[in-house]
Structure formats: C-alpha cells, structure tokens
Amino acid sequence: MRSKTNKEITYISEIRVRFVETDPLGIVWHGNYIQYFEDGREAFGRHHGISYLDQKDHNFSTPIVKSSSEHKLPLRYGDVATVKTTYVDSKAAKMVFRYEIFNPEDQLVCTGETIQVFVELGGEMSLTIPDFFLDWKRKVGLLDE
C-alpha cells in the first residue's frame, strides 16, 4: 500500500475565548493557542472517526512529541474564533496536524503544527502504522490499494 502524496483532510470548528484565557490587557495569552489546537484536533477526531476514545478502543494513545505556533494577531475575550484543523498524511507512524486560527473578521491570527506518535497503552511507541489507523486512512481515501 502506498500513501497518496499531498493528501490532507480538514475540519473547521469554532471556539469562544473565555475570560480566564486572557491576560490583564484582555488579549489571549499565547500559551492558550495550544489548547485551541487541541480543541480543533478533538473536533476533527470526533467528526472523522479518529478521536482519542477511538484510539483508546484500539489500545493506543497518541502523545504529542512536537508542537509549534506562530502568532500574527491577538484574539480577545468574547471573540468567536474559527479553528481550521488539517491532517497532513504521512507514510510514517505519526499524525501531523496543521492549524489556522481566524478571528471574527476572518483574519489569520495564529498558525501551528503538532506531531503525535502511536504508543500502545502500557507499552512502547509503535514504529509501524497501527492496523486501525491504516483502516481509517483507507476509509477516508488516503491510501491507494
């Protein structure tokens, strides 16, 4: 089986900025954008059938091993932001997600990326793509047969 090149799957969700996520100036503290990435990733997983609970049902977890973010504009308390979460296909045993967060005026606020690996619950990191994930990739059209 070979993976198609440049295949991506996207899901768009919304978050509302809470007061507790802002600093004394009323703007979102930079560290909270990682949580917004997580919110987008969880919404993506629920929508596309590859949530953390689905992974756990197959005896795997997917811890983040790398994250990055680039901040361009601020979000403020009460803003409803759009989180565009994109799964970027990889031939390796990992999950790569890219994020774009937009403010209510549809301006790009923040971009980022996370990389997750597959770890058997109570075990070790998997060096090959788990069967359940290959099945998911087939289902969503990421694998050539």
Side-chain angles (χ1 to χ4, degrees):
M1 288 169 248
R2 119 184 157 319
S3 182
K4 294 179 183 177
T5 57
N6 298 326
K7 283 297 258 180
E8 300 178 344
I9 299 174
T10 297
Y11 186 72
I12 295 174
S13 56
E14 290 185 341
I15 55 101
R16 180 177 298 275
V17 175
R18 300 178 313 154
F19 179 76
V20 70
E21 297 163 345
T22 62
D23 65 15
L25 299 175
I27 63 173
V28 171
W29 177 68
H30 69 277
N32 285 319
Y33 288 90
I34 297 293
Q35 177 63 50
Y36 299 157
F37 295 169
E38 178 82 8
D39 293 341
R41 197 169 53 253
E42 286 185 356
F44 177 100
R46 285 189 305 272
H47 180 78
H48 288 292
I50 196 70
S51 72
Y52 289 126
L53 293 175
D54 294 318
Q55 296 168 34
K56 185 178 176 187
D57 287 345
H58 292 281
N59 204 38
F60 278 90
S61 65
T62 53
I64 291 177
V65 294
K66 183 177 180 183
S67 63
S68 63
S69 61
E70 217 174 294
H71 306 275
K72 301 174 182 306
L73 292 170
L75 285 175
R76 302 182 187 287
Y77 170 62
D79 282 351
V80 175
T82 302
V83 181
K84 180 180 177 185
T85 304
T86 302
Y87 170 78
V88 181
D89 194 27
S90 171
K91 293 180 182 180
K94 65 181 178 181
M95 298 173 78
V96 178
F97 287 96
R98 292 199 182 119
Y99 310 91
E100 293 176 304
I101 299 176
F102 298 89
N103 66 15
E105 290 77 36
D106 205 30
Q107 297 170 307
L108 185 61
V109 169
C110 182
T111 61
E113 181 178 279
T114 57
I115 299 175
Q116 297 167 258
V117 296
F118 294 95
V119 176
E120 291 184 48
L121 295 179
E124 297 186 16
M125 185 173 77
S126 179
L127 299 178
T128 59
I129 300 173
D131 288 341
F132 84 92
F133 197 65
L134 287 172
D135 291 343
W136 176 79
K137 288 173 86 167
R138 273 187 209 91
K139 177 182 168 189
V140 298
L142 292 175
L143 289 181
D144 288 333
E145 294 298 333

